[in-house]
Amino acid sequence: MGALLAPSSGGLAMRLSIALLAVLLISASGAEAQQTVKIGTTPSFVFLPLYVAEQLGYFKAEGITAQFVDFEGGAEVTTAMVGGSIDAGGTMVERPLILAEKGFGAKNLVALENRNPLHVVLRANHPAKEVKDLKGSRLGMTRAGSGTDLSLRALLKDAGLEPDRDVAIIAIGGVSSANAALKAGQVDGFMGGEPATAIAVHQLKLARYFLDPRMGQGPKFLQFMTFPTVQVSDRFIQANPQAAEKIVRAIVKTLKRMREDPEAAVRVGQKLFPTLDVSIIRSIITIEKNTYFPQITEEAVHQCNQAQKQLGVVKGDIAYDKVVATQFKHLWDQ
């Protein structure tokens, strides 16, 4: 009787096979749930939220495996997105406006910071109190046609100063060369981003913050003429609407974490910029956490459009829903 009740070797093998098949199916479904998205960007503090989303698992939790592709600047990111070698770009909000005038459809999905991250520092003993006081100064920017160049020229013109005539504008490159130029007295200050400015102010003690859109300073157009976003082509949204939605969800959650727990962002910053002193990283995030909001408002896009039009970057007025993926707007407030 006992022999009759004992499981046969064939039955045991069958149950083991079924169990193994179940494990394989679960593993396969998990693998299918993760979608690889190639994100092109420039490793800098402006795009830190992208790296925080990856490092802290917010992309993974949404079923996205982020694969970062590094580029020198926004123009290169946009070219790669248009060409299809990347799926999404971490670059500046005006890029889809530029593409729209060229007949290529692309949309901003979500902001990484909701204000212009570029700002002006001056040597510590510079007497200027207002922008008009900069007449006769020599100011640096990274390179001709860059966001720092365009932002600086727009700021000076708004104050009634003529760039290159009233204020010398000099290309000084990136972090190390910008601060070397300031230290050598080749420039009186520069329009730049982090970490160059924090190093100049806090580490080298060469400069002071003069005008900072991140803190709501300066004319409104300057605050919104450029700011970092995640953007994708229209064809990507059409082919991968769920992936686009997941990217938005991940970034919204990431920005909330960065506002509420800035030390988490500091730790990611240390990994991304291992040669920077942690106090510099912390000082940057202390300021930039005020901008970690996902909303891309109609007013911001309008201000951006008008500023870029004044600079000759775009020619016309471009509709909000032509450059912003409005179907995902409701996710920004979650």
Side-chain angles (χ1 to χ4, degrees):
M1 181 68 70
L4 291 173
L5 294 175
S8 68
S9 59
L12 179 60
M14 178 65 74
R15 284 194 292 274
L16 287 172
S17 297
I18 292 171
L20 179 59
L21 179 60
V23 169
L24 291 173
L25 287 172
I26 291 170
S27 299
S29 65
E32 289 172 1
Q34 288 294 126
Q35 179 176 350
T36 298
V37 175
K38 291 184 178 180
I39 303 174
T41 192
T42 304
S44 71
F45 274 96
V46 174
F47 304 109
L48 181 62
L50 286 171
Y51 298 94
V52 174
E54 192 274 329
Q55 290 282 319
L56 299 188
Y58 288 104
F59 278 137
K60 185 176 181 180
E62 292 293 336
I64 296 292
T65 298
Q67 187 178 99
F68 291 109
V69 183
D70 294 346
F71 291 90
E72 185 178 345
E76 292 82 1
V77 171
T78 301
T79 298
M81 184 176 69
V82 170
S85 61
I86 59 172
D87 301 309
T91 184
M92 308 308 275
V93 65
E94 68 271 16
R95 303 306 302 181
L97 281 75
I98 297 169
L99 289 175
E101 289 205 330
K102 295 180 178 179
F104 185 86
K107 299 287 191 295
N108 290 292
L109 289 180
V110 60
L112 298 173
E113 297 183 17
N114 68 350
R115 283 191 176 87
N116 187 350
L118 305 176
H119 46 280
V120 179
V121 294
L122 296 177
R123 54 182 168 79
N125 61 351
H126 196 292
K129 294 181 179 179
E130 300 178 56
V131 177
K132 64 181 181 181
D133 300 333
L134 295 174
K135 187 173 183 178
S137 298
R138 297 160 299 165
L139 298 180
M141 47 76 180
T142 53
R143 59 178 178 171
S146 65
T148 57
D149 183 26
L150 297 177
S151 292
L152 180 56
R153 290 176 184 276
L155 176 65
L156 295 173
K157 285 184 177 181
D158 182 69
L161 299 176
E162 187 60 38
D164 299 317
R165 185 192 70 191
D166 296 327
V167 177
I169 298 180
I170 304 167
I172 55 175
V175 178
S176 58
S177 57
N179 282 311
L182 187 63
K183 188 173 183 178
Q186 296 169 357
V187 293
D188 298 305
F190 58 87
M191 171 74 81
E194 303 293 9
T197 53
I199 291 173
V201 173
H202 298 295
Q203 183 174 312
L204 300 177
K205 311 293 185 185
L206 292 172
R208 61 183 175 90
Y209 289 109
F210 174 68
L211 188 145
D212 194 341
R214 298 174 300 174
M215 304 298 290
Q217 298 170 1
K220 182 174 282 190
F221 80 85
L222 183 69
Q223 295 178 36
F224 300 114
M225 70 175 289
T226 188
F227 55 92
T229 69
V230 180
Q231 46 205 247
V232 296
S233 65
D234 286 356
R235 66 175 179 240
F236 180 86
I237 295 176
Q238 291 163 4
N240 304 277
Q242 291 183 330
E245 180 174 332
K246 289 175 180 179
I247 291 170
V248 176
R249 289 185 187 279
I251 294 300
V252 169
K253 292 173 183 176
T254 299
L255 295 176
K256 185 174 187 292
R257 174 73 178 276
M258 293 174 75
R259 294 193 306 271
E260 296 177 353
D261 181 16
E263 281 301 309
V266 170
R267 290 190 291 273
V268 175
Q270 285 181 279
K271 293 180 181 179
L272 194 60
F273 306 101
T275 61
L276 274 184
D277 188 276
V278 66
S279 64
I280 297 294
I281 296 172
R282 187 171 288 114
S283 72
I284 294 168
I285 291 172
T286 296
I287 293 175
E288 298 208 334
K289 74 175 183 179
N290 299 310
T291 71
Y292 291 147
F293 290 92
Q295 290 81 6
I296 305 171
T297 66
E298 291 191 51
E299 173 66 13
V301 172
H302 173 73
Q303 291 288 341
C304 171
N305 193 166
Q306 296 309 304
Q308 299 295 333
K309 193 164 67 169
Q310 286 288 325
L311 291 166
V313 176
V314 297
K315 296 178 181 178
D317 295 324
I318 300 165
Y320 176 74
D321 60 3
K322 194 168 184 178
V323 293
V324 175
T326 55
Q327 63 267 49
F328 304 120
K329 279 182 65 175
H330 65 285
L331 300 174
W332 299 340
D333 297 320
Q334 292 184 357

